[in-house]
Amino acid sequence: MLLPAAFALIAAGQPRGYPRSYADTIAAARREGTVVVYSTTDRHEATAALNAFRKRYPFLRVDYRELESPTLYNRVIAESRARKPTGDLIWSSAMDLQIKLVNDGYAQAYASPEKPYLPNWAIWKNEAWGVTAEPVVIAYNKRLVPAKDVPRTHSAFERLLRNKAAFYRGRVSTYDPRLSGFGYLQLTQDYHASRDIMSLVGALGAARVRLHTSSGPLLADIESGRSLFAYNTLGSYALELATRNPDIGVIMPSDYTLVVSRIALISREARQPNAAKLLLDFLLSPEGQRHLARAYMAPSREDVVPLAGSKPPAAAARPVKLGPALLANLDRIRRQRFLANWQAALDAE
């Protein structure tokens, strides 16, 4: 039983409006002392939020491990099956892989006190939580792309690549869906949004598109001028780069702009589950969401104002909803068929 002085110390760090029983969660997290995070989010982008979390709970050490999405997914499964320590909080932009971890029993349920303030699309089974709502964009080098060439829709981008094939050949980049979990997610969601997307894939193939497995090299390509366009890149990274480099432009296509989320879950084999609950709740709280928003990771909460320009107009926004529909494209045979069609379209011209 907690002594009154100890209870008062813990209660001082308890968020306003949380149930009194949350003091027990804080006390248990204090005993755990550490939270291990497996994440696809660049450490630099998450630093402000993590620093604020540590300020609120100074007794917790955050062991933050940055991984590419397929590595993260496979590591959680391998460590869980071996009953070895794994990440406590698993945070990834590969939404479909996160939902598969939940579906296959690698997450544990937790009813966050922040649940009432989140949109329905951002919660699944109290096990998967949409922390952000970020656009998938086309970034480009404003210094090297003629102003008249800047496309505003997917079809306009395809026409540009076909009409000026020689100029853009070898100067367009995107993710490799065979190796990038996020790349595969956005390609399948493009297909759901528009069955004409394989025609655009053909135009990318004709342009000898450069393929990458993560956002860093993708954006480095356009910053250096090796590429003029980065297609389907994560908006937060592109927008943050644009604030540092005035040569970088960002397009949210007006026909549709996919809106994706970095999904957090508490792993089944978490050794520090209470510390993971504190971090999850903080990331979903107004304070946590504001810190993420300042890094252009637009909030999933509707009561936190995003930075100007970090969300598409409502008419164009196409949110990718959490849930079992994301599992369909991960079926082994379906995935093989989809990637085969993508490769055929890429090689067709």
Side-chain angles (χ1 to χ4, degrees), residues 136-139 154 173-175 182 186-187 190 218 230-234 258:
V136 177
V137 305
I138 304 172
H154 291 82
S173 295
T174 192
Y175 297 97
F182 179 70
Q186 48 86 2
L187 178 62
D190 259 351
L218 185 62
Y231 175 67
N232 266 8
T233 190
L234 197 54
L258 296 176

Side-chain angles (χ1 to χ4, degrees), residues 242-295:
T243 64
R244 294 185 284 107
N245 186 340
D247 288 337
I248 304 303
V250 177
I251 304 159
M252 297 185 195
S254 61
D255 51 341
Y256 71 88
T257 297
L258 296 176
V259 178
V260 297
S261 184
R262 298 172 199 258
I263 306 302
L265 58 89
I266 300 172
S267 64
R268 184 190 73 197
E269 298 298 323
R271 295 300 194 263
Q272 290 84 220
N274 294 285
K277 292 173 184 177
L278 296 193
L279 181 53
L280 173 63
D281 292 337
F282 182 78
L283 293 175
L284 295 174
S285 73
E287 183 182 359
Q289 294 269 287
R290 283 193 292 268
H291 282 293
L292 293 173
R294 291 185 191 115

Side-chain angles (χ1 to χ4, degrees), residues 181-202:
F182 179 70
Y184 183 71
L185 170 71
Q186 48 86 2
L187 178 62
T188 57
Q189 294 305 310
D190 259 351
Y191 185 74
H192 290 311
S194 171
R195 295 304 171 93
D196 294 331
I197 203 65
M198 287 303 177
S199 181
L200 174 53
V201 171

Side-chain angles (χ1 to χ4, degrees), residues 42 68 173-175 210-227 229-230 233 237 241:
D42 289 358
E68 291 190 352
S173 295
T174 192
Y175 297 97
R210 298 164 59 89
L211 299 174
H212 297 287
T213 61
S214 61
S215 299
L218 185 62
L219 292 174
D221 259 11
I222 61 166
E223 191 169 26
S224 68
R226 286 189 297 271
S227 287
F229 285 103
T233 190
Y237 295 144
L241 176 60

Side-chain angles (χ1 to χ4, degrees), residues 18-45:
Y18 278 32
R20 285 180 60 85
S21 60
Y22 202 74
D24 296 332
T25 303
I26 296 174
R30 178 185 288 272
R31 291 191 294 271
E32 291 167 353
T34 298
V35 58
V36 178
V37 183
Y38 287 0
S39 179
T40 61
T41 300
D42 289 358
R43 182 187 299 270
H44 169 74
E45 305 295 326

Side-chain angles (χ1 to χ4, degrees), residues 115-174:
K115 181 178 178 178
Y117 308 103
L118 297 172
N120 291 334
W121 66 259
I123 309 164
W124 192 48
K125 296 173 61 175
N126 281 353
E127 294 180 55
W129 300 85
V131 176
T132 62
E134 303 171 56
V136 177
V137 305
I138 304 172
Y140 66 102
N141 189 308
K142 293 194 291 187
R143 181 170 52 85
L144 300 175
V145 174
K148 61 183 175 58
D149 283 5
V150 177
R152 298 301 173 190
T153 65
H154 291 82
S155 58
F157 186 47
E158 179 185 346
R159 287 195 301 272
L160 175 68
L161 296 183
R162 294 190 184 282
N163 293 339
K164 299 188 69 172
F167 183 75
Y168 287 107
R169 185 167 293 120
R171 306 174 83 184
V172 181
S173 295
T174 192

